[in-house]
Amino acid sequence: MTNAKPKHFLSIRDFDTATLREILDLAKAIKNGTYKGELLPDQHLAMIFEKPSTRTRVSFQVGIEQLGGKAVLMDQAGSQLGHGESIADTARVLSRFVNGIMIRTSGEEKLLEMAEYASVPVINGLTDDSHPCQLMADMLTYEEHRGSIEGKRVVWVGDGNNVANSWIHCAARFNFALTLATPRELAPSQEVVDWAGSQNADITVTEDVQAAVAGADLVVTDTWVSMGQDGAERRKALLAPYQVNEDLMALAASDALFMHCLPAHRGEEATDAVLDGPHSVIFDEAENRLHAQKGIMVWCMGK
């Protein structure tokens, strides 16, 4: 054990711009092969999954192994966490075995409790409130294609969900204008919007999707129904006017990018013509989960 305070990665809002920039630059250097520091030889990452995953599981496992470490996969069926052991006890026990913990869970309170009791770094692989690893990959992807996102116009289309919350956090830290075009019933968290206002972020929430997308530099969407959500048919009816299709993308800037964190329900939140079209960078975005998270792991777990 160590008495040093661990470097957790729980939310974009926890960091200043300079620290986020440091992590992104680290990710870029590792991806490009120009990083000269020590990676993570013989380090072990416990990966806790209370929600199923493709990109998060594979990118973290491949990432830690490419950095010289190993992954330990844990799910509810295969661990005591799913059979009554507390988050606090799990955190304290795992801290004696591994060098870092990644958790993908539902409630934000589980993530925060894990971080409170762990003596090793905890990384947020997704909660119902936020998805910061995805946003670091998105920032990396935008910069690779268009340079700095500062001063750009970004439009989120659809459900004001956990990923939308992390986009709001990023707008405050990377200084771009963010418009969220959502049905009133599915608007983003008012607490998150108010926090962004306290940070002097340029945030607009509207129901007018056409006006929002006009001239945008980046259009982003996500699935309409996330894992475990009720009321799927009602949500789909509310969000049908917010489908990102060719007509909507035609309103954006001619060199606009389109992002989607995947998995996509093709023909619902976005059409094939957009997902596979000239504006789309969704597969670069998916790949960059690997590289962004390698930067995060080295920042959190490195010496």
Side-chain angles (χ1 to χ4, degrees):
M1 290 185 64
T2 176
N3 293 323
K5 186 176 179 180
K7 295 167 71 176
H8 301 310
F9 188 82
L10 308 181
S11 174
I12 298 293
R13 69 194 282 176
D14 295 338
F15 299 99
D16 58 23
T17 304
T19 303
L20 295 169
R21 182 75 263 157
E22 177 187 349
I23 297 171
L24 276 180
D25 289 345
L26 182 57
K28 287 183 180 181
I30 295 170
K31 179 178 181 178
N32 296 334
T34 58
Y35 178 65
K36 302 301 182 185
E38 185 176 13
L39 297 176
L40 300 176
D42 302 318
Q43 301 275 296
H44 287 78
L45 177 73
M47 306 192 309
I48 300 174
F49 287 94
E50 293 190 325
K51 285 190 170 187
S53 168
T54 297
R55 278 149 292 277
T56 299
R57 176 177 174 175
V58 175
S59 58
F60 268 108
Q61 182 162 350
V62 171
I64 188 67
E65 291 177 1
Q66 288 181 349
L67 294 170
K70 294 182 180 179
V72 180
L73 177 64
M74 301 173 62
D75 57 25
Q76 287 184 297
S79 73
Q80 291 300 323
L81 188 60
H83 300 279
E85 185 167 35
S86 70
I87 294 282
D89 285 353
T90 299
R92 287 182 283 211
V93 169
L94 288 178
S95 296
R96 305 296 182 103
F97 297 145
V98 301
N99 307 97
I101 300 167
M102 186 285 298
I103 180 169
R104 181 179 174 93
T105 185
S106 53
E108 189 85 359
E109 69 279 358
K110 294 182 180 180
L111 170 74
L112 297 177
E113 186 176 0
M114 183 70 71
E116 179 181 357
Y117 288 96
S119 57
V120 298
V122 173
I123 298 171
N124 177 1
L126 174 140
T127 71
D128 289 346
D129 289 347
S130 65
H131 199 356
C133 289
Q134 180 64 56
L135 265 292
M136 294 299 279
D138 292 350
M139 294 301 102
L140 180 59
T141 304
Y142 190 90
E143 290 185 355
E144 286 179 340
H145 284 270
R146 296 289 186 267
S148 174
I149 200 169
E150 183 174 357
K152 301 298 184 180
R153 286 195 60 245
V154 178
V155 179
W156 172 271
V157 178
D159 181 20
N161 61 13
N162 53 352
V163 185
N165 288 343
S166 288
W167 272 101
I168 294 171
H169 298 155
C170 264
R173 295 297 182 245
F174 289 93
N175 196 28
F176 56 85
L178 176 64
T179 299
L180 299 108
T182 72
R184 183 183 297 111
E185 297 88 340
L186 300 175
S189 161
Q190 190 59 48
E191 184 274 330
V192 176
V193 173
D194 290 344
W195 172 84
S198 75
Q199 305 295 305
N200 298 314
D202 186 351
I203 305 293
T204 302
V205 180
T206 180
E207 295 178 69
D208 190 339
V209 63
Q210 284 81 18
V213 171
D217 298 297
L218 171 62
V219 178
V220 191
T221 194
D222 196 3
T223 56
W224 288 348
V225 183
S226 297
M227 291 173 288
Q229 284 184 319
D230 296 325
E233 294 309 312
R234 178 176 178 274
R235 294 176 66 84
K236 290 178 182 179
L238 288 170
L239 288 162
Y242 294 82
Q243 182 189 71
V244 183
N245 51 40
E246 287 178 287
D247 289 341
L248 189 65
M249 280 302 302
L251 300 174
S254 60
D255 63 345
L257 298 181
F258 169 77
M259 291 188 184
H260 187 312
C261 65
L262 302 178
H265 293 80
R266 288 171 175 264
E268 289 188 5
E269 69 270 10
T271 60
D272 286 347
V274 172
L275 290 162
D276 300 323
H279 299 282
S280 177
V281 291
I282 61 174
F283 297 112
D284 292 343
E285 185 185 2
E287 179 192 333
N288 277 333
R289 286 291 302 277
L290 170 67
H291 306 299
Q293 288 160 189
K294 286 164 77 171
I296 292 166
M297 286 188 283
V298 170
W299 184 86
C300 288
M301 298 165 61
K303 296 179 181 178

